[in-house]
Amino acid sequence: MASQAGYCRSELLSGADRAHLPVSAVRRTSPLILGGGPAGCAAATLLARAGAKPLVLERTRAPQDIVCGGFLSADTVGLLEHVGLSASALGAHPITRLRVIAGERVQEMALPFMAFGLSRRTLDAALLAQAGDAGAGIERGVTLKMLDRTQRRVHLNDGSTLSGDTIMLGTGKHDLRGALRPPDARGSDPAVGLRARLAPSTHLSYILNNVIELHVFPRGYAGLLLLEDGAANLCLSVSRSHLAAARSPAALVAALARTNPLLGDRLAQAHATGPWASIANIPYGWRAEPDRPGIFRLGDQGAVIASLAGDGIGIALASGCMAASAWQRGGAEASARFQSSLSARTRLPLQVAGGLKWLAERPYAHGPLLGLMAHMPALARLAITATRVVTNPRP
């Protein structure tokens, strides 16, 4: 089947034939980008503008919301502008303040930068459209089955294969067979991400205007902000054992509303709560090291920051920009340098975010955490800034 960029897929051969088939016998595309999220689209756009012919394979057939806080920090906004998009032009809701809530205790402070709330539905649609306009091939509704990293060959669910000198893996928090992250990266009680869309009342919209709320509680936290269309985005990170004990996301949130009255008030002010989306076994703090030649791990496949930092989209965009820059200078062989550079650049943000996550999930640390915001706001702003990824897109 021909792709939008004019590439073709080779039908999957039998096991015996495939074992003796040289890689060059399979039609090659380079670079081949797996995943059409912020990381993959940033790389595709910059590569296409530089004259390459990248092909993006995206599993969804249409834009959709996913488990994501929807928070765009200053570095993320700058990286969006680097690839040609404006958060303001996309209608993103401005955010200037952070409100941390622990039970009935509340502390608020100004953010050290202008931020925005934007749904992944809107962001991803704009990024994919821009990548296509730049000249990248885009195939949607493609289910990836396995990645053969040694042969740099992707097996698709329809029985076909694609191969390329360069594979850029940007499947987000979803692992692909053949490129699984190590099980011990998850920890003994890994985090689960949950997300729902709220239809807020006028009062709730007023409360959340220009503010991101962080509700902290034992073994987890929740972020709440307004999006470009006026809806509220509720995103939670909880331990797997916490969710298992509650048996369902709805039951978990109901229990949290009872023990966290201000979170309960926010939920009561919503006219409706959309269906829950989830992602399990999130390996917060994990960073990829250099893989086989030609394999570039982007976004969450390269570095997973604790979600309360609000810089996951920033890291995704930065990694896509870095990968495109590295490939333009060194081709497939630049993958090792790229991966080492991404790991080094994200080390401090991931460590600081991990420390803040540790504090947020322990009730005895909530008092000192709120006290830091109240009495040492400059230090609190420094900690927030330290979780940002460097915006220079060159590795």
Side-chain angles (χ1 to χ4, degrees), residues 18-56:
R18 190 168 60 249
H20 301 288
L21 184 66
V23 176
S24 58
V26 180
R27 185 175 296 273
R28 308 184 69 83
T29 65
S30 181
L32 184 59
I33 301 175
L34 311 184
C41 285
T45 297
L46 297 180
L47 287 166
R49 287 177 181 166
K53 297 294 183 182
L55 174 63
V56 178

PDB file of all heavy atoms in Angstrom, residues 18-56:
ATOM      1  N   ARG A  18      12.212 -14.883   5.647  1.00  0.00           N
ATOM      2  CA  ARG A  18      12.616 -13.634   6.255  1.00  0.00           C
ATOM      3  C   ARG A  18      13.976 -13.763   6.915  1.00  0.00           C
ATOM      4  O   ARG A  18      14.762 -12.818   6.941  1.00  0.00           O
ATOM      5  CB  ARG A  18      11.551 -13.197   7.269  1.00  0.00           C
ATOM      6  CG  ARG A  18      11.747 -11.795   7.803  1.00  0.00           C
ATOM      7  CD  ARG A  18      10.511 -11.319   8.564  1.00  0.00           C
ATOM      8  NE  ARG A  18      10.202 -12.165   9.691  1.00  0.00           N
ATOM      9  CZ  ARG A  18       9.160 -12.965   9.781  1.00  0.00           C
ATOM     10  NH1 ARG A  18       8.322 -13.056   8.771  1.00  0.00           N
ATOM     11  NH2 ARG A  18       8.953 -13.697  10.853  1.00  0.00           N
ATOM     12  N   ALA A  19      14.287 -14.911   7.443  1.00  0.00           N
ATOM     13  CA  ALA A  19      15.560 -15.099   8.144  1.00  0.00           C
ATOM     14  C   ALA A  19      16.750 -14.918   7.207  1.00  0.00           C
ATOM     15  O   ALA A  19      17.836 -14.562   7.639  1.00  0.00           O
ATOM     16  CB  ALA A  19      15.611 -16.490   8.776  1.00  0.00           C
ATOM     17  N   HIS A  20      16.558 -15.189   5.898  1.00  0.00           N
ATOM     18  CA  HIS A  20      17.662 -15.103   4.941  1.00  0.00           C
ATOM     19  C   HIS A  20      17.558 -13.866   4.051  1.00  0.00           C
ATOM     20  O   HIS A  20      18.342 -13.725   3.112  1.00  0.00           O
ATOM     21  CB  HIS A  20      17.685 -16.358   4.063  1.00  0.00           C
ATOM     22  CG  HIS A  20      17.853 -17.615   4.858  1.00  0.00           C
ATOM     23  ND1 HIS A  20      19.036 -17.973   5.468  1.00  0.00           N
ATOM     24  CD2 HIS A  20      16.959 -18.593   5.181  1.00  0.00           C
ATOM     25  CE1 HIS A  20      18.878 -19.135   6.104  1.00  0.00           C
ATOM     26  NE2 HIS A  20      17.632 -19.520   5.950  1.00  0.00           N
ATOM     27  N   LEU A  21      16.611 -12.996   4.341  1.00  0.00           N
ATOM     28  CA  LEU A  21      16.407 -11.841   3.492  1.00  0.00           C
ATOM     29  C   LEU A  21      17.272 -10.686   3.964  1.00  0.00           C
ATOM     30  O   LEU A  21      17.206 -10.285   5.115  1.00  0.00           O
ATOM     31  CB  LEU A  21      14.930 -11.405   3.554  1.00  0.00           C
ATOM     32  CG  LEU A  21      14.514 -10.242   2.649  1.00  0.00           C
ATOM     33  CD1 LEU A  21      14.622 -10.656   1.186  1.00  0.00           C
ATOM     34  CD2 LEU A  21      13.093  -9.814   2.973  1.00  0.00           C
ATOM     35  N   PRO A  22      18.158 -10.150   3.121  1.00  0.00           N
ATOM     36  CA  PRO A  22      18.969  -9.000   3.537  1.00  0.00           C
ATOM     37  C   PRO A  22      18.096  -7.779   3.762  1.00  0.00           C
ATOM     38  O   PRO A  22      17.042  -7.635   3.150  1.00  0.00           O
ATOM     39  CB  PRO A  22      19.917  -8.788   2.341  1.00  0.00           C
ATOM     40  CG  PRO A  22      19.193  -9.366   1.183  1.00  0.00           C
ATOM     41  CD  PRO A  22      18.413 -10.546   1.720  1.00  0.00           C
ATOM     42  N   VAL A  23      18.544  -6.898   4.682  1.00  0.00           N
ATOM     43  CA  VAL A  23      17.760  -5.711   4.989  1.00  0.00           C
ATOM     44  C   VAL A  23      17.493  -4.893   3.738  1.00  0.00           C
ATOM     45  O   VAL A  23      16.434  -4.323   3.561  1.00  0.00           O
ATOM     46  CB  VAL A  23      18.499  -4.860   6.043  1.00  0.00           C
ATOM     47  CG1 VAL A  23      17.752  -3.569   6.309  1.00  0.00           C
ATOM     48  CG2 VAL A  23      18.685  -5.641   7.323  1.00  0.00           C
ATOM     49  N   SER A  24      18.472  -4.840   2.804  1.00  0.00           N
ATOM     50  CA  SER A  24      18.326  -4.020   1.610  1.00  0.00           C
ATOM     51  C   SER A  24      17.202  -4.511   0.701  1.00  0.00           C
ATOM     52  O   SER A  24      16.748  -3.783  -0.169  1.00  0.00           O
ATOM     53  CB  SER A  24      19.638  -3.996   0.826  1.00  0.00           C
ATOM     54  OG  SER A  24      20.016  -5.319   0.469  1.00  0.00           O
ATOM     55  N   ALA A  25      16.726  -5.754   0.896  1.00  0.00           N
ATOM     56  CA  ALA A  25      15.667  -6.277   0.049  1.00  0.00           C
ATOM     57  C   ALA A  25      14.308  -5.728   0.448  1.00  0.00           C
ATOM     58  O   ALA A  25      13.352  -5.855  -0.303  1.00  0.00           O
ATOM     59  CB  ALA A  25      15.641  -7.804   0.111  1.00  0.00           C
ATOM     60  N   VAL A  26      14.214  -5.144   1.650  1.00  0.00           N
ATOM     61  CA  VAL A  26      12.970  -4.530   2.082  1.00  0.00           C
ATOM     62  C   VAL A  26      13.021  -3.060   1.712  1.00  0.00           C
ATOM     63  O   VAL A  26      14.040  -2.409   1.889  1.00  0.00           O
ATOM     64  CB  VAL A  26      12.790  -4.690   3.612  1.00  0.00           C
ATOM     65  CG1 VAL A  26      11.486  -4.032   4.067  1.00  0.00           C
ATOM     66  CG2 VAL A  26      12.812  -6.160   3.993  1.00  0.00           C
ATOM     67  N   ARG A  27      11.934  -2.530   1.160  1.00  0.00           N
ATOM     68  CA  ARG A  27      11.929  -1.131   0.755  1.00  0.00           C
ATOM     69  C   ARG A  27      12.243  -0.259   1.961  1.00  0.00           C
ATOM     70  O   ARG A  27      11.647  -0.398   3.026  1.00  0.00           O
ATOM     71  CB  ARG A  27      10.574  -0.751   0.165  1.00  0.00           C
ATOM     72  CG  ARG A  27      10.563   0.684  -0.389  1.00  0.00           C
ATOM     73  CD  ARG A  27       9.250   0.995  -1.071  1.00  0.00           C
ATOM     74  NE  ARG A  27       9.060   0.148  -2.241  1.00  0.00           N
ATOM     75  CZ  ARG A  27       9.522   0.461  -3.445  1.00  0.00           C
ATOM     76  NH1 ARG A  27      10.211   1.567  -3.615  1.00  0.00           N
ATOM     77  NH2 ARG A  27       9.302  -0.345  -4.456  1.00  0.00           N
ATOM     78  N   ARG A  28      13.166   0.673   1.799  1.00  0.00           N
ATOM     79  CA  ARG A  28      13.674   1.451   2.918  1.00  0.00           C
ATOM     80  C   ARG A  28      13.109   2.870   2.897  1.00  0.00           C
ATOM     81  O   ARG A  28      12.943   3.478   1.845  1.00  0.00           O
ATOM     82  CB  ARG A  28      15.201   1.509   2.889  1.00  0.00           C
ATOM     83  CG  ARG A  28      15.861   0.145   2.774  1.00  0.00           C
ATOM     84  CD  ARG A  28      17.359   0.250   2.847  1.00  0.00           C
ATOM     85  NE  ARG A  28      17.801   0.632   4.184  1.00  0.00           N
ATOM     86  CZ  ARG A  28      17.961  -0.243   5.176  1.00  0.00           C
ATOM     87  NH1 ARG A  28      17.706  -1.520   4.975  1.00  0.00           N
ATOM     88  NH2 ARG A  28      18.369   0.163   6.356  1.00  0.00           N
ATOM     89  N   THR A  29      12.810   3.383   4.069  1.00  0.00           N
ATOM     90  CA  THR A  29      12.438   4.777   4.228  1.00  0.00           C
ATOM     91  C   THR A  29      13.281   5.331   5.357  1.00  0.00           C
ATOM     92  O   THR A  29      13.502   4.670   6.355  1.00  0.00           O
ATOM     93  CB  THR A  29      10.952   4.924   4.592  1.00  0.00           C
ATOM     94  OG1 THR A  29      10.722   4.345   5.875  1.00  0.00           O
ATOM     95  CG2 THR A  29      10.070   4.262   3.560  1.00  0.00           C
ATOM     96  N   SER A  30      13.772   6.553   5.189  1.00  0.00           N
ATOM     97  CA  SER A  30      14.627   7.105   6.225  1.00  0.00           C
ATOM     98  C   SER A  30      14.465   8.621   6.237  1.00  0.00           C
ATOM     99  O   SER A  30      14.552   9.251   5.181  1.00  0.00           O
ATOM    100  CB  SER A  30      16.086   6.744   5.949  1.00  0.00           C
ATOM    101  OG  SER A  30      16.944   7.236   6.941  1.00  0.00           O
ATOM    102  N   PRO A  31      14.236   9.204   7.391  1.00  0.00           N
ATOM    103  CA  PRO A  31      13.964   8.588   8.693  1.00  0.00           C
ATOM    104  C   PRO A  31      12.507   8.097   8.802  1.00  0.00           C
ATOM    105  O   PRO A  31      11.621   8.676   8.197  1.00  0.00           O
ATOM    106  CB  PRO A  31      14.225   9.713   9.695  1.00  0.00           C
ATOM    107  CG  PRO A  31      14.982  10.763   8.941  1.00  0.00           C
ATOM    108  CD  PRO A  31      14.486  10.654   7.528  1.00  0.00           C
ATOM    109  N   LEU A  32      12.322   7.065   9.589  1.00  0.00           N
ATOM    110  CA  LEU A  32      11.017   6.489   9.858  1.00  0.00           C
ATOM    111  C   LEU A  32      10.656   6.838  11.297  1.00  0.00           C
ATOM    112  O   LEU A  32      11.389   6.494  12.227  1.00  0.00           O
ATOM    113  CB  LEU A  32      11.069   4.979   9.658  1.00  0.00           C
ATOM    114  CG  LEU A  32       9.788   4.181   9.807  1.00  0.00           C
ATOM    115  CD1 LEU A  32       8.734   4.654   8.823  1.00  0.00           C
ATOM    116  CD2 LEU A  32      10.071   2.696   9.599  1.00  0.00           C
ATOM    117  N   ILE A  33       9.550   7.539  11.496  1.00  0.00           N
ATOM    118  CA  ILE A  33       9.180   8.060  12.819  1.00  0.00           C
ATOM    119  C   ILE A  33       7.944   7.327  13.321  1.00  0.00           C
ATOM    120  O   ILE A  33       6.885   7.363  12.684  1.00  0.00           O
ATOM    121  CB  ILE A  33       8.932   9.570  12.759  1.00  0.00           C
ATOM    122  CG1 ILE A  33      10.198  10.289  12.262  1.00  0.00           C
ATOM    123  CG2 ILE A  33       8.514  10.112  14.119  1.00  0.00           C
ATOM    124  CD1 ILE A  33      10.026  11.781  12.038  1.00  0.00           C
ATOM    125  N   LEU A  34       8.086   6.656  14.449  1.00  0.00           N
ATOM    126  CA  LEU A  34       6.999   5.870  15.020  1.00  0.00           C
ATOM    127  C   LEU A  34       6.307   6.693  16.093  1.00  0.00           C
ATOM    128  O   LEU A  34       6.815   6.864  17.196  1.00  0.00           O
ATOM    129  CB  LEU A  34       7.542   4.565  15.613  1.00  0.00           C
ATOM    130  CG  LEU A  34       8.477   3.747  14.712  1.00  0.00           C
ATOM    131  CD1 LEU A  34       8.866   2.442  15.387  1.00  0.00           C
ATOM    132  CD2 LEU A  34       7.848   3.502  13.347  1.00  0.00           C
ATOM    133  N   GLY A  35       5.143   7.220  15.772  1.00  0.00           N
ATOM    134  CA  GLY A  35       4.384   8.032  16.708  1.00  0.00           C
ATOM    135  C   GLY A  35       4.262   9.463  16.241  1.00  0.00           C
ATOM    136  O   GLY A  35       5.255  10.123  15.935  1.00  0.00           O
ATOM    137  N   GLY A  36       3.016   9.956  16.185  1.00  0.00           N
ATOM    138  CA  GLY A  36       2.754  11.304  15.701  1.00  0.00           C
ATOM    139  C   GLY A  36       2.401  12.277  16.803  1.00  0.00           C
ATOM    140  O   GLY A  36       1.565  13.165  16.598  1.00  0.00           O
ATOM    141  N   GLY A  37       3.037  12.128  17.976  1.00  0.00           N
ATOM    142  CA  GLY A  37       2.849  13.079  19.057  1.00  0.00           C
ATOM    143  C   GLY A  37       3.805  14.249  18.923  1.00  0.00           C
ATOM    144  O   GLY A  37       4.443  14.435  17.872  1.00  0.00           O
ATOM    145  N   PRO A  38       3.957  15.054  19.972  1.00  0.00           N
ATOM    146  CA  PRO A  38       4.844  16.227  19.893  1.00  0.00           C
ATOM    147  C   PRO A  38       6.275  15.890  19.496  1.00  0.00           C
ATOM    148  O   PRO A  38       6.878  16.609  18.691  1.00  0.00           O
ATOM    149  CB  PRO A  38       4.771  16.811  21.311  1.00  0.00           C
ATOM    150  CG  PRO A  38       3.409  16.423  21.801  1.00  0.00           C
ATOM    151  CD  PRO A  38       3.186  15.047  21.235  1.00  0.00           C
ATOM    152  N   ALA A  39       6.842  14.802  20.042  1.00  0.00           N
ATOM    153  CA  ALA A  39       8.233  14.462  19.727  1.00  0.00           C
ATOM    154  C   ALA A  39       8.381  14.091  18.254  1.00  0.00           C
ATOM    155  O   ALA A  39       9.244  14.628  17.538  1.00  0.00           O
ATOM    156  CB  ALA A  39       8.711  13.321  20.616  1.00  0.00           C
ATOM    157  N   GLY A  40       7.559  13.161  17.802  1.00  0.00           N
ATOM    158  CA  GLY A  40       7.658  12.713  16.415  1.00  0.00           C
ATOM    159  C   GLY A  40       7.357  13.811  15.423  1.00  0.00           C
ATOM    160  O   GLY A  40       8.030  13.935  14.387  1.00  0.00           O
ATOM    161  N   CYS A  41       6.355  14.645  15.714  1.00  0.00           N
ATOM    162  CA  CYS A  41       5.985  15.708  14.774  1.00  0.00           C
ATOM    163  C   CYS A  41       7.038  16.804  14.718  1.00  0.00           C
ATOM    164  O   CYS A  41       7.294  17.372  13.649  1.00  0.00           O
ATOM    165  CB  CYS A  41       4.638  16.295  15.164  1.00  0.00           C
ATOM    166  SG  CYS A  41       3.244  15.226  14.761  1.00  0.00           S
ATOM    167  N   ALA A  42       7.646  17.134  15.868  1.00  0.00           N
ATOM    168  CA  ALA A  42       8.711  18.142  15.857  1.00  0.00           C
ATOM    169  C   ALA A  42       9.868  17.669  14.983  1.00  0.00           C
ATOM    170  O   ALA A  42      10.397  18.419  14.145  1.00  0.00           O
ATOM    171  CB  ALA A  42       9.186  18.424  17.278  1.00  0.00           C
ATOM    172  N   ALA A  43      10.268  16.407  15.160  1.00  0.00           N
ATOM    173  CA  ALA A  43      11.352  15.860  14.346  1.00  0.00           C
ATOM    174  C   ALA A  43      10.964  15.842  12.871  1.00  0.00           C
ATOM    175  O   ALA A  43      11.750  16.245  12.001  1.00  0.00           O
ATOM    176  CB  ALA A  43      11.698  14.450  14.827  1.00  0.00           C
ATOM    177  N   ALA A  44       9.747  15.387  12.566  1.00  0.00           N
ATOM    178  CA  ALA A  44       9.317  15.285  11.176  1.00  0.00           C
ATOM    179  C   ALA A  44       9.285  16.643  10.498  1.00  0.00           C
ATOM    180  O   ALA A  44       9.714  16.796   9.347  1.00  0.00           O
ATOM    181  CB  ALA A  44       7.934  14.629  11.120  1.00  0.00           C
ATOM    182  N   THR A  45       8.779  17.662  11.190  1.00  0.00           N
ATOM    183  CA  THR A  45       8.677  19.001  10.608  1.00  0.00           C
ATOM    184  C   THR A  45      10.052  19.561  10.271  1.00  0.00           C
ATOM    185  O   THR A  45      10.284  20.054   9.157  1.00  0.00           O
ATOM    186  CB  THR A  45       7.952  19.948  11.577  1.00  0.00           C
ATOM    187  OG1 THR A  45       6.610  19.482  11.782  1.00  0.00           O
ATOM    188  CG2 THR A  45       7.904  21.366  11.027  1.00  0.00           C
ATOM    189  N   LEU A  46      10.972  19.481  11.225  1.00  0.00           N
ATOM    190  CA  LEU A  46      12.300  20.051  10.996  1.00  0.00           C
ATOM    191  C   LEU A  46      13.077  19.261   9.945  1.00  0.00           C
ATOM    192  O   LEU A  46      13.810  19.840   9.137  1.00  0.00           O
ATOM    193  CB  LEU A  46      13.070  20.108  12.309  1.00  0.00           C
ATOM    194  CG  LEU A  46      12.457  21.020  13.384  1.00  0.00           C
ATOM    195  CD1 LEU A  46      13.301  21.017  14.646  1.00  0.00           C
ATOM    196  CD2 LEU A  46      12.283  22.437  12.865  1.00  0.00           C
ATOM    197  N   LEU A  47      12.917  17.940   9.944  1.00  0.00           N
ATOM    198  CA  LEU A  47      13.591  17.132   8.931  1.00  0.00           C
ATOM    199  C   LEU A  47      13.063  17.448   7.537  1.00  0.00           C
ATOM    200  O   LEU A  47      13.831  17.588   6.576  1.00  0.00           O
ATOM    201  CB  LEU A  47      13.404  15.648   9.244  1.00  0.00           C
ATOM    202  CG  LEU A  47      14.205  15.095  10.421  1.00  0.00           C
ATOM    203  CD1 LEU A  47      13.679  13.722  10.824  1.00  0.00           C
ATOM    204  CD2 LEU A  47      15.694  15.014  10.076  1.00  0.00           C
ATOM    205  N   ALA A  48      11.736  17.548   7.416  1.00  0.00           N
ATOM    206  CA  ALA A  48      11.140  17.831   6.113  1.00  0.00           C
ATOM    207  C   ALA A  48      11.567  19.206   5.606  1.00  0.00           C
ATOM    208  O   ALA A  48      11.851  19.385   4.419  1.00  0.00           O
ATOM    209  CB  ALA A  48       9.618  17.740   6.207  1.00  0.00           C
ATOM    210  N   ARG A  49      11.624  20.186   6.502  1.00  0.00           N
ATOM    211  CA  ARG A  49      12.048  21.523   6.088  1.00  0.00           C
ATOM    212  C   ARG A  49      13.503  21.538   5.636  1.00  0.00           C
ATOM    213  O   ARG A  49      13.901  22.387   4.839  1.00  0.00           O
ATOM    214  CB  ARG A  49      11.846  22.506   7.237  1.00  0.00           C
ATOM    215  CG  ARG A  49      10.379  22.844   7.487  1.00  0.00           C
ATOM    216  CD  ARG A  49      10.232  23.751   8.685  1.00  0.00           C
ATOM    217  NE  ARG A  49       8.827  24.054   8.941  1.00  0.00           N
ATOM    218  CZ  ARG A  49       8.374  24.588  10.062  1.00  0.00           C
ATOM    219  NH1 ARG A  49       9.229  24.873  11.042  1.00  0.00           N
ATOM    220  NH2 ARG A  49       7.084  24.834  10.219  1.00  0.00           N
ATOM    221  N   ALA A  50      14.279  20.584   6.143  1.00  0.00           N
ATOM    222  CA  ALA A  50      15.694  20.502   5.761  1.00  0.00           C
ATOM    223  C   ALA A  50      15.901  19.687   4.483  1.00  0.00           C
ATOM    224  O   ALA A  50      17.036  19.498   4.048  1.00  0.00           O
ATOM    225  CB  ALA A  50      16.501  19.896   6.903  1.00  0.00           C
ATOM    226  N   GLY A  51      14.797  19.169   3.914  1.00  0.00           N
ATOM    227  CA  GLY A  51      14.904  18.447   2.656  1.00  0.00           C
ATOM    228  C   GLY A  51      14.806  16.946   2.755  1.00  0.00           C
ATOM    229  O   GLY A  51      14.834  16.259   1.734  1.00  0.00           O
ATOM    230  N   ALA A  52      14.691  16.403   3.979  1.00  0.00           N
ATOM    231  CA  ALA A  52      14.531  14.959   4.132  1.00  0.00           C
ATOM    232  C   ALA A  52      13.087  14.555   3.831  1.00  0.00           C
ATOM    233  O   ALA A  52      12.211  15.410   3.677  1.00  0.00           O
ATOM    234  CB  ALA A  52      14.931  14.533   5.541  1.00  0.00           C
ATOM    235  N   LYS A  53      12.839  13.251   3.744  1.00  0.00           N
ATOM    236  CA  LYS A  53      11.502  12.739   3.462  1.00  0.00           C
ATOM    237  C   LYS A  53      11.072  11.784   4.576  1.00  0.00           C
ATOM    238  O   LYS A  53      10.914  10.581   4.366  1.00  0.00           O
ATOM    239  CB  LYS A  53      11.478  12.024   2.115  1.00  0.00           C
ATOM    240  CG  LYS A  53      11.801  12.910   0.928  1.00  0.00           C
ATOM    241  CD  LYS A  53      10.726  13.976   0.730  1.00  0.00           C
ATOM    242  CE  LYS A  53      11.011  14.826  -0.493  1.00  0.00           C
ATOM    243  NZ  LYS A  53       9.993  15.902  -0.652  1.00  0.00           N
ATOM    244  N   PRO A  54      10.883  12.299   5.799  1.00  0.00           N
ATOM    245  CA  PRO A  54      10.482  11.421   6.901  1.00  0.00           C
ATOM    246  C   PRO A  54       9.065  10.888   6.700  1.00  0.00           C
ATOM    247  O   PRO A  54       8.231  11.535   6.059  1.00  0.00           O
ATOM    248  CB  PRO A  54      10.559  12.338   8.123  1.00  0.00           C
ATOM    249  CG  PRO A  54      10.276  13.696   7.574  1.00  0.00           C
ATOM    250  CD  PRO A  54      10.930  13.720   6.226  1.00  0.00           C
ATOM    251  N   LEU A  55       8.814   9.721   7.267  1.00  0.00           N
ATOM    252  CA  LEU A  55       7.485   9.125   7.258  1.00  0.00           C
ATOM    253  C   LEU A  55       7.059   8.904   8.701  1.00  0.00           C
ATOM    254  O   LEU A  55       7.774   8.265   9.478  1.00  0.00           O
ATOM    255  CB  LEU A  55       7.491   7.787   6.515  1.00  0.00           C
ATOM    256  CG  LEU A  55       6.179   6.980   6.559  1.00  0.00           C
ATOM    257  CD1 LEU A  55       5.049   7.750   5.887  1.00  0.00           C
ATOM    258  CD2 LEU A  55       6.370   5.619   5.886  1.00  0.00           C
ATOM    259  N   VAL A  56       5.902   9.460   9.073  1.00  0.00           N
ATOM    260  CA  VAL A  56       5.363   9.330  10.424  1.00  0.00           C
ATOM    261  C   VAL A  56       4.251   8.284  10.416  1.00  0.00           C
ATOM    262  O   VAL A  56       3.312   8.362   9.608  1.00  0.00           O
ATOM    263  CB  VAL A  56       4.801  10.680  10.928  1.00  0.00           C
ATOM    264  CG1 VAL A  56       4.202  10.519  12.331  1.00  0.00           C
ATOM    265  CG2 VAL A  56       5.889  11.748  10.925  1.00  0.00           C
TER     266      VAL A  56
END
